[in-house]
Amino acid sequence: MTQIALVWLVYQLTNSAVLVGVAGFTNQAMGLIITPLVGVLLDRWNLRYVLLATQLVSILLSSTLTFLTLSNNINVAWIIVIGTLQGIVKAFDLPARQVIIPRLLDKKSDTYSAMASHSFLINTAKFVSPMIGGFLIARSGAASCFLVDSISYLPFISAILTIKVNPIINNTSNQKAQIWKNLKEGFVYAYDFLPIKHLLILQIVICFMGITHVNLIPIFAQEILKGNAETMGFLMTASALGSIVSGIYLISRKNIIGLGRVIATSAAILGLGLIVFSQSTNLEVCLVFMFIIGMNNTLTLASLNNFMQSILLDEDKRGRVTSIFTTGFLGILPFGNLFFGVLAGHLGVTNALLFGGICCIIGAYFFSRQLPKIRKVLYPIYAELGLLPQPNKG
C-alpha cells in the first residue's frame, strides 16, 4: 500500500514519469550499497534484535509520512529522504527475514515448504493491499495508506518476541577485523557455486527488466487507459491475484526438484505478458494480462529465492548469500525504476513495457540453456536432502 501511495503521490505532485523513476530509485538505492555488508553482519548478529529494530524504525517512518501528508507539508524532497531511509531499513529487514526462516526448522529438507509458505503469505497480503490501497487513495487520500502501514508492524513485533530460533555454529563471530574478508568469501561462494550464480543472474534480469513495471502502472492507468486511482487499484489487484495463484502452486509442490524448469518457463511467460499488456488499450484485456504478469512475476522471483534457500547447505554463509540475492533485488530495482522512468518519459510507457518484456524472454532463454549443467551439480545435494528415490536393496 505504501509503495502504491508513494508512486501515486509523486505523479500527482509532479506529473512526471522521470520523477516517479527517481522516487523509486531513492527508495531502493541503499540496497546496492549496504546490503552485501549487511549479510556479513547477519551471520554474526542476533536476528531477533535486527528484526525488532527494523520494525520500530518502519513505524517511525510511516508515521512521519502520515503526518506530513495530513498537514499538507509533503513534497518530493520529503518523499525522497524518507524513501532513502526506508531503503536502508529494507537492506536489513528483507535478508534477515529470509535468513531466520531456515533457523526455525528442525529439518533442512523442510526449507522449501517453509519458504513457499512464507511467499504465499506475502502474496496473500499483496492481493488485499492493492485493492484496499487504490480505494483508500481515491476516497481518503494517500495518508490513509501510510497510517494503516504504521499500525501493521505491531503484530509482527509480537511474533518476533515469541518465536524460537535454533542456534547455529558461527565461524565469523570472533573475526570482527575481517569483515571485508568475510564479504569476499560470500561473493566467491556465490560465484563458484554454478546454480546460485545462474539463479542470481536471472534474478537481476527480472528485477531490472520485469518487476519495474509496477512503477509504470499509475502512468499507464492515466495515460493509456484514461483512468484514475481506482483503475490503478484494479490493475494491481489483478496482478496480486495472480501472485496468490502462483503461491498456491508453490505450496502444492513437495520439493524443489523440477523447479528450474518452472523458473525458465515463468520468466518467459512474464515477458510475453508484458509485451501483450503494453499493446492493449482495453481495461478488461489489461486486467487479464496483469493477472498473468503478476502470477509469473511472483512465480519466477519466489521460485528463485526458494530454490536458493533450499540448496544452500552452508549455514554460516546463509546471511551473506541471502544478502547478495537481496542486493540483486533491492540494488538492481532502483536502477530499473530510474531507467524505465526515463525511458517512459522519452519513448512512452507502452514502449518501455514492451522493451522490458522482450528482455525477460531473452533472460529466460539463456537460463534454460544452463539447466542441464545445474542439474548435474545439484544431484548430490538432492541426495543429501533425501529428495531422490532410494534404490531397492532387494
Side-chain angles (χ1 to χ4, degrees):
M1 289 174 60
T2 298
Q3 181 184 6
I4 292 171
L6 282 174
V7 170
W8 183 261
L9 198 55
V10 171
Y11 196 62
Q12 291 300 302
L13 290 171
T14 66
N15 200 37
S16 169
V18 175
L19 285 177
V20 168
V22 171
F25 174 82
T26 57
N27 187 260
Q28 307 284 353
M30 292 305 295
L32 181 62
I33 300 172
I34 67 174
T35 303
L37 293 175
V38 168
V40 178
L41 299 175
L42 292 181
D43 282 333
R44 302 174 176 185
W45 288 354
N46 186 312
L47 295 178
R48 190 193 307 273
Y49 296 152
V50 173
L51 289 172
L52 280 173
T54 59
Q55 304 317 296
L56 293 173
V57 175
S58 295
I59 291 175
L60 177 62
L61 293 176
S62 293
S63 299
T64 302
L65 277 174
T66 304
F67 172 76
L68 290 173
T69 307
L70 287 175
S71 61
N72 293 320
N73 291 317
I74 193 70
N75 54 44
V76 175
W78 272 116
I79 292 174
I80 290 175
V81 170
I82 294 176
T84 301
L85 295 174
Q86 288 177 328
I88 295 173
V89 173
K90 289 178 186 176
F92 283 88
D93 184 70
L94 293 184
R97 293 181 187 226
Q98 302 293 328
V99 173
I100 202 172
I101 290 177
R103 298 177 187 175
L104 305 177
L105 307 173
D106 293 326
K107 296 189 299 181
K108 281 191 174 292
S109 58
D110 289 334
T111 300
Y112 170 79
S113 296
M115 297 304 301
S117 298
H118 178 252
S119 299
F120 176 75
L121 291 172
I122 290 176
N123 291 318
T124 301
K126 286 182 180 179
F127 169 68
V128 177
S129 60
M131 179 173 57
I132 298 176
F135 289 129
L136 281 178
I137 293 171
R139 287 168 172 76
S140 306
S144 57
C145 292
F146 303 142
L147 178 61
V148 173
D149 184 45
S150 302
I151 299 171
S152 70
Y153 295 100
L154 297 176
F156 189 49
I157 290 176
S158 175
I160 295 169
L161 292 171
T162 58
I163 59 176
K164 178 184 177 183
V165 183
N166 295 324
I168 65 163
I169 299 175
N170 197 326
N171 296 325
T172 61
S173 59
N174 296 320
Q175 299 177 4
K176 301 296 183 182
Q178 300 184 24
I179 186 169
W180 297 109
K181 178 182 178 181
N182 298 152
L183 179 62
K184 180 181 177 181
E185 288 174 354
F187 276 101
V188 170
Y189 180 87
Y191 181 82
D192 289 343
F193 191 19
L194 184 70
I196 287 183
K197 179 172 72 173
H198 288 297
L199 290 171
L200 181 60
I201 292 172
L202 182 61
Q203 184 202 43
I204 291 172
V205 172
I206 297 300
C207 286
F208 191 95
M209 297 296 178
I211 197 174
T212 45
H213 78 274
V214 174
N215 269 22
L216 299 180
I217 295 303
I219 305 171
F220 192 91
Q222 288 196 53
E223 293 186 359
I224 307 301
L225 299 180
K226 310 301 179 184
N228 54 20
E230 290 189 5
T231 307
M232 179 187 68
F234 286 134
L235 291 172
M236 297 304 294
T237 300
S239 175
L241 181 58
S243 296
I244 293 290
V245 174
S246 65
I248 293 173
Y249 166 74
L250 288 174
I251 285 182
S252 70
R253 291 181 58 91
K254 295 181 179 180
N255 54 53
I256 59 173
I257 294 179
L259 200 57
R261 185 170 58 252
V262 171
I263 292 171
T265 303
S266 61
I269 296 176
L270 168 62
L272 182 61
L274 284 170
I275 291 172
V276 177
F277 175 82
S278 70
Q279 304 303 305
S280 177
T281 57
N282 180 276
L283 178 59
E284 288 75 18
V285 174
C286 287
L287 289 173
V288 171
F289 279 92
M290 277 301 292
F291 172 87
I292 294 172
I293 291 168
M295 179 173 63
N296 288 281
N297 182 50
T298 297
L299 185 56
T300 303
L301 292 177
S303 296
L304 283 167
N305 184 64
N306 296 352
F307 204 3
M308 183 275 293
Q309 293 288 352
S310 298
I311 64 177
L312 181 58
L313 301 184
D314 294 325
E315 196 63 42
D316 63 331
K317 294 184 179 66
R318 187 177 296 277
R320 282 167 283 177
V321 176
T322 299
S323 290
I324 291 171
F325 265 75
T326 306
T327 302
F329 179 77
L330 292 183
I332 297 302
L333 191 57
F335 290 98
N337 288 332
L338 188 61
F339 174 81
F340 278 96
V342 173
L343 192 65
H346 285 83
L347 300 180
V349 65
T350 295
N351 291 327
L353 290 168
L354 175 65
F355 177 73
I358 292 173
C359 291
C360 287
I361 293 176
I362 294 173
Y365 169 76
F366 281 104
F367 178 78
S368 67
R369 294 287 301 271
Q370 301 299 322
L371 284 178
K373 296 179 182 177
I374 292 174
R375 293 191 188 102
K376 290 181 180 179
V377 175
L378 291 181
Y379 189 89
I381 295 177
Y382 290 161
E384 184 175 345
L385 294 173
L387 300 179
L388 297 177
Q390 298 299 315
N392 190 332
K393 293 182 179 181

